[in-house]
Structures are given as C-alpha cells and as structure tokens.
Amino acid sequence: MFIFKFQFRLKSILILGFLIAFSLQSFSQGGFKWSNDGKSYYRIQSEGIVQYTLPNNDAKVLISKEQLTPAKSEQPLSVSYFKFSEDEQKVLLFTNTKRVWRIHTKGDYWVLNLATGALQQLGKTLPESSLMFAKISPDGTLAAYVSNNNIYVEDLSTSKIKALTTDGTKTLINGTFDWVYEEEFACRDGFRWSPDSKSIAFWQIDASDTKTFYMINNTDAIYSELVPLEYPKVGEPPSACKVGVVNVEDAKTTWMNIPGDVRQNYLVRMEFIPSTEKLLIQQLNRKQNHSKLFIAEPKTGASKVIHEEKDTAWVDIYQAGNSYTVDFTNNFIWYNEGKNILWASEKDGWRHLYNVSLEGRKEQLITKGDYDFTDLSFIDTKKGYVYFMASPENATQSYLYRTKLNGKGKLELMSPKALQGTHSYNVSPTGAFAIHSFSNHFTKPASELISLSNHEPINPENGIEANISKLTETPKVEFFKVTTSEGVEMDGWMVKPTNFDATKKYPVVFYVYSEPATTTVNDTYGAGNNRNYNGSMADDGYIYMSLDNRGTPAPKGREWRKSIYRNIGKINIKDQALAAKEILKWDFVDPERIAVWGHSGGGSTTLNLLFQYPEIYKTGISIAAITNLLTYDNIYQERYMGLPQENMQDFVNGSAITHAENLKGNLLYIHGTGDDNVHYQNAEILVNELVKYNKQFQFMPYPNRTHGIREGEGTTEHLKTLFTNYLKTYCPPGAR
C-alpha cells in the first residue's frame, strides 16, 4: 500500500499532427526531460536521445546511438533513465536495471561527456547492476552513488572511487531505505549533494533490531529455501533512523542531533536548504500525528524546530509529482530563494497550501475555500502565482487552477471548461510551456504542448480540443451518486450490460478497495475495465460497479478522509454495504446475484463484506488480502489505526478473520506465496479460521508470486481464467 496521494495519471503527448503515446514507464523511468532553461525537452527514441526545441518543436538528435555505444561493444546502451548535469555538459545514463521491491532502482550508470564524447562507466570495480541513485555533483566534477548499502564518490576525471561509508550491511543501510520506508513513505533515494559539492547528507537506517519475517520457496530446488525479510509488523517499533553529513574530502561524518527516540520517530524528508549549508529535516512521531520541521547545522549537528503540526488522526506527507520516478526524492517545495516553503495542511478542514517561512515569520494561507489542493504544478514567483490541481465541483475529476501566492487572489480555472474529466500537467522549469494531458471515461488519453499562462496549444490545429472528435468514444461507463440511509453520499461508476433492458434483472459485480491508499471512482479512460476478467463483462450480461466510501483519499475534505481513523474494516465496510442496499432497490438489479471482488486492501474489503453482510453479498473473489490487521506493516497500519498496545479492540473488530464464521456465500481466495507486502500467512490464518467453522470455500495459492501475482509463465492467463470461470459459475451472468 502506498502513502496518501491524490494524483497518479497516465500521460501521452499530442504533437505536430500525430499522437505520440508514451507508456507510463517512459515517463517514470526518465524517458522525457525538460531542459534546464525550459526552452526544449528531451526524449529517448530509437535514434538516441532527441532534443525538441520550442515553440516550433524542431527536432535534432542530441545523443546518437553511436555516442551511446561503449568501446569494444557493438550495441548501444539500453537507457532506462537519463539526467543532465547542472551545466548540461554531462549526461547520466541508467541501464541494465534490476527491480528492488516495486521498481527498478539498481543498475549500471554511465556518464557521457557531451564536450569530448567520452563515455565512462561508473563503479566499474563494484558488482554489476548494484549501483543506486547516482548523481553528478553540482560542480560537475564528481558522481556519487550507493552500492550494497554504502555510499561512494567517484572522480569523473580519473575514475577514482572512494567509499564515504564502509559500515553498510544488510540491516545497516546508508543512502537508501528498508522495505517499509520505501513502501509507505516512498523513500528510496537516501542522499543529497550539498550545493558546494563538498559534502553529502544521507539517511542511515538501522534495521538490525527489526524482526525478520521468513517466506518460503518450495519450488526452485528439491529442498525448500527460506527467504528472509526485515519487516516491522504493526505494534513493533520502527527501524532506527538518523541523518548524517559526510565530508567528501576526508569521509568523516557528522550526525544531526534530532531530538527524540530514533526508534519511536521517522525522518521522512531531508534536503539542503537552497544556497546554504543548512539542512531542513521533517520528523514524524511513530503515530504520525505530530510533524516537526528542523533546521540542522551540518558542521555541528545542532538543530532547532521551526514548524510543528498536529492532527487528531494523522498528518499526511504531501509528495509533489509522480512518486514512481527513479529520481524521486520526496522534496520540499522551495521558493523565495529557499527562505520559504509551501506546506500542505488540512488544519482548517480542507487540504490547503500555506506559505511557511524558515525565518520565523507567520505562516500564510494561500489557497482558500471549501476545496482540496491535490497536487502542485508550478510556482510563478515573477508574476506571483501558484498553479495547482484541484476539483471543487467533482471529486472524480482533476483540473488546473491558479491563485495568488500572497493568499489574496481568487481561484482561477486554467483547464478548458469544455474538457470535463481528468487533467494533468508536466510544466517546464520556467513555466513557459507545459505538457497538458487529458482523458475521461469516454475520451482516450491525449496530450498537447501548451503555453501555461494562457493554456493555448502551441499548435492549435493539433491541440486536444481541435481533435476531440477523434478521441471520443460512445460512453460505456455511467457515473452516479448514491446516498446511504445514514446520509453519506458516495460517488460511483457503473457499466451496464450490452443491449441493456431495464425491464429485466441483472447480476451486479462490485469492484472495491475502500481504504486510504487509493480511490477507485476516477473519471479517466479505462474506468470500468476489469483486468482479471476474460472477455467483456458487459457482453456477458453483468452490471459492473464501483463506489468510493468515506476514508478513501477523494478530494472531499479532511472529515471525509480521516473518518476512517481506527475504523478500517468498520466504517468503510458499512458505507459500502449501505450503498449496496440502496442499489439493490433498483428494478434492474437481481439481489440474488451480487458479487464483489478486490485486491490487497480491496481483498480485505471483499472478505469483510462477505462476512459482515452475507445477506447482501453472495459471491466474493478476494486477492492478496490482509485477513488479520496485526499482520501488516507498522507505518501504514499505525498511521490509520493507532497502536495495538493502546487500542487492540479496533484491530480485532476490523479484521476479516473476526467475522469469518458468518460466511454464507461463495468465496474464492487467491494469494501469492512470495508476497513480500501482504504476507502469505494471511491466507493460512484465514484458511484455519474457515476450517474451524466448517466453511467451504475455494483457494488458489500461486507459488513464489509476489503481491501483484504477475511472475511466472502463464500466471496472468491462469488468474484471468480462474477469476472468470468462478464468477460465471457462482454468479451467473445474463438477464432474467
């Protein structure tokens, strides 16, 4: 499960009369970059790295395949990610990548000198594909990277490598993070260059006291193999964490003195304050309901608090941009030459931006009104505007707005009014241009280059609005609202059967998630699809539906989102069930054929709905569920549920196994035995409970598959076939 974030959008580009479709990977892995001056952008293409100069979009091959071909090799590097040095005279290339937990963050790094054409590999004496988060120093003379949990620096003129830390082990981690920090705080890249290139600030995680969870591999050898994972379950103390600053010259480290027990607090953000030698560090207490900002002095380690925030539930950590990028660093939002940051807070009941001074001045509310800020797009300090995403009128959509930085401006809609749906923006560093992307449930994803200040396409003839007729389809998804008997209004979408006849009755299949990690009701292209179903649910005669309950991260205000605190497995389940009761009153719904399915948190929801409301839900398919809330990690579960040492009954009440004896309908349970996220033990705990009460069900374990159940030959097709056949057998499709 992921840290709270509203936005996650697929992007593509509409340029010069044809659609150039980018996959999610091409963006997230560095396939697109703006130039530092914002007057051009770069893309990885078959010819090499191509530069497009604006506004005419003139293309030239900046780095050819020949330049990307190492000496004694006949093939160019297969580049997954690239980044230019600050002077744009060198380019860092990431290749030969390997997955770490969720994404590819290990691999080989090369540096191409654009002036000389020299192509050099970094860390040649270190193991292959072991380098992580390489960065060229601000002065362009050095590169730093992590390998095997130690930090190294390399002189780019001599290729001499120096270890800045040497104490790294499997559990003492320098410059990167353990599983749970990455999974729940999206912390991956764990070091920062100082502005003067003389030192590096870094996180050190000590997971040596974190208990080991063992998975078991029974299939790759005759004898079974234990697969260890340092995994802090809810109720277990966090890994110890501290921040140090190591001098590049002598490799001496000064540790920052941040008050508080290192095993009862988290350090979730850290950066050098621009144009200074000081650090800004954010600390969260273990319950994650008290945030502190510290300014730290790298030479002495002394620190002082400059900002605090508390919440009776939890304090969200805002992440600017896409959290799946290799160079994602969970940055603060700087402006005014580093004297201020923009800070997202829900203290007035809505998620708003505040101007927080690092010099002790009173903070100022910037975005005002009964709506939620959801993502930052650009800060225009010259004209005094902040551009951001919000959707005051429709929580399933997203639009670009702007207002004055001084907090005295009106809310101005920038996205075209004619394009109702979900917008996203990739803005150039100067704010002159942006890639504007758009889709809705009946419009294919497309993008255009625009001038940000007036939102006009660079080439109007090839803009989205001019070509909207080529992008739109006949709507198959209907968005609706349903109000429960308790007065809770919920958004939903529905796909009706092909050749729908309102005088007949149809089975309903609910797709659920329902927890704080994500929403399911979003007005984007692909809404209403089911990746696990073979064929078309509509053609087969199903009504397919999804609802967002209280506790999901929809932009509906703090109370909506945080009402789920200490109530996972209760309030979200009740909202879903009471909404389903209203839907069962519709004339065309067959109340005897009601099915539900979900994955991960949605798998847990599926079980709870089957067990707590068996009179409504007759069939369920649950995948990779947390069946006992005490089995999941401490950061996620304690953020939303508190500490089991203090409120154990909330964990018991919200766990599906507590209600398993109430199963009356049909259950198919699916789990990968190699799941490092939601452990396979959840499946066996559930099986034991169902067996105890003689509850008959079907169970499919996938050996060594992880949380997504994707690995292994034939897995995806097998899962789809299993899912489809089970649904058709126990919740027959078609009108009656």
Side-chain angles (χ1 to χ4, degrees), residues 257-495:
N257 182 18
I258 306 298
D261 186 338
V262 294
R263 287 182 63 81
Q264 293 297 321
N265 292 280
Y266 301 103
L267 300 180
V268 294
R269 281 193 282 197
M270 176 271 291
E271 282 188 84
F272 280 97
I273 299 172
S275 303
T276 76
E277 296 180 0
K278 299 179 180 180
L279 290 170
L280 185 63
I281 299 172
Q282 183 182 5
Q283 179 194 66
L284 277 181
N285 66 332
R286 179 173 172 180
K287 288 186 178 180
Q288 302 168 64
N289 58 10
H290 189 184
S291 167
K292 295 180 181 179
L293 290 181
F294 293 87
I295 290 180
E297 299 281 353
K299 291 182 179 179
T300 65
S303 66
K304 64 177 181 179
V305 177
I306 59 117
H307 182 271
E308 292 189 65
E309 181 173 344
K310 296 181 179 180
D311 194 297
T312 55
W314 68 87
V315 175
D316 280 315
I317 303 173
Y318 168 66
Q319 300 174 350
N322 182 354
S323 64
Y324 280 79
T325 55
V326 170
D327 59 350
F328 176 72
T329 50
N330 209 1
N331 290 335
F332 294 105
I333 308 169
W334 304 102
Y335 85 106
N336 192 22
E337 298 178 343
K339 297 176 183 177
N340 300 70
I341 60 171
L342 295 190
W343 184 258
S345 172
E346 297 178 333
K347 65 180 68 178
D348 73 349
W350 297 91
R351 190 175 184 84
H352 282 310
L353 279 179
Y354 291 79
N355 173 6
V356 173
S357 169
L358 303 189
E359 300 177 336
R361 296 185 178 89
K362 184 179 179 180
E363 71 178 27
Q364 182 182 37
L365 174 63
I366 296 174
T367 58
K368 298 177 180 178
D370 293 346
Y371 65 89
D372 284 308
F373 154 88
T374 59
D375 202 5
L376 180 73
S377 296
F378 183 68
I379 303 172
D380 186 347
T381 54
K382 291 182 179 179
K383 296 181 180 179
Y385 283 103
V386 58
Y387 291 78
F388 60 95
M389 305 304 295
S391 189
E393 305 300 328
N394 188 330
T396 72
Q397 300 175 341
S398 184
Y399 299 89
L400 180 68
Y401 287 85
R402 74 176 183 182
T403 193
K404 285 288 188 178
L405 269 170
N406 61 14
K408 298 179 181 180
K410 295 181 179 179
L411 186 65
E412 298 181 55
L413 175 65
M414 301 298 294
S415 300
K417 292 182 179 179
L419 298 179
Q420 299 288 306
T422 299
H423 300 256
S424 62
Y425 296 81
N426 186 335
V427 182
S428 67
T430 61
F433 304 102
I435 298 169
H436 164 226
S437 302
F438 171 77
S439 82
N440 60 29
H441 60 282
F442 59 89
T443 304
K444 297 176 183 178
S447 297
E448 61 189 354
L449 280 165
I450 63 169
S451 171
L452 182 65
S453 61
N454 59 13
H455 209 287
E456 292 294 328
I458 300 302
N459 188 334
E461 292 182 359
N462 299 309
I464 294 175
E465 288 188 87
N467 291 274
I468 196 68
S469 62
K470 301 175 184 177
L471 300 167
T472 56
E473 302 174 343
T474 301
K476 297 179 181 178
V477 181
E478 298 178 21
F479 281 75
F480 64 92
K481 294 180 184 293
V482 60
T483 302
T484 72
S485 58
E486 294 186 346
V488 178
E489 183 183 77
M490 296 165 57
D491 287 305
W493 54 249
M494 169 174 52
V495 182

Side-chain angles (χ1 to χ4, degrees), residues 9-24:
R9 308 299 184 198
L10 200 63
K11 298 177 179 179
S12 56
I13 290 185
L14 175 57
I15 298 174
L16 298 182
F18 59 95
L19 283 167
I20 305 175
F22 284 102
S23 68
L24 181 59

Side-chain angles (χ1 to χ4, degrees), residues 42 49 62-63 82-86 88 90-92 114:
Y42 311 100
I49 297 177
L62 181 69
I63 301 173
F82 68 97
K83 188 173 184 179
F84 287 90
S85 59
E86 288 191 10
E88 295 190 315
K90 298 182 180 73
V91 61
L92 184 71
L114 296 178

Side-chain angles (χ1 to χ4, degrees), residues 607-615 617 656-665 689-690 693 695:
L607 294 175
N608 267 314
L609 290 171
L610 276 178
F611 299 163
Q612 294 187 42
Y613 294 91
E615 73 279 11
Y617 302 93
I657 57 167
T658 300
H659 313 282
E661 63 182 298
N662 299 323
L663 175 64
K664 294 180 180 178
E689 200 68 14
L690 292 170
Y693 292 106
K695 298 297 180 179

Side-chain angles (χ1 to χ4, degrees), residues 1-2 102 510-515 517-518 520 530-532 544 596-607 621-626 636 669-672 675 677-678 702 705-711 719 723:
M1 297 182 186
F2 309 99
R102 285 194 180 271
F510 288 97
Y511 167 55
V512 294
Y513 190 81
S514 89
E515 293 195 13
T518 191
T520 59
N530 185 346
R531 66 182 183 276
N532 286 327
Y544 191 38
V596 58
W597 86 275
H599 192 135
S600 190
S604 309
T605 300
T606 297
L607 294 175
I621 302 175
S622 173
I623 305 174
I626 302 167
Y636 182 93
Y669 188 75
I670 300 167
H671 212 126
D675 192 333
N677 185 344
V678 179
Y702 281 93
R705 273 66 167 189
T706 59
H707 193 53
I709 312 184
R710 297 184 298 268
E711 304 85 357
L719 177 56
F723 183 104

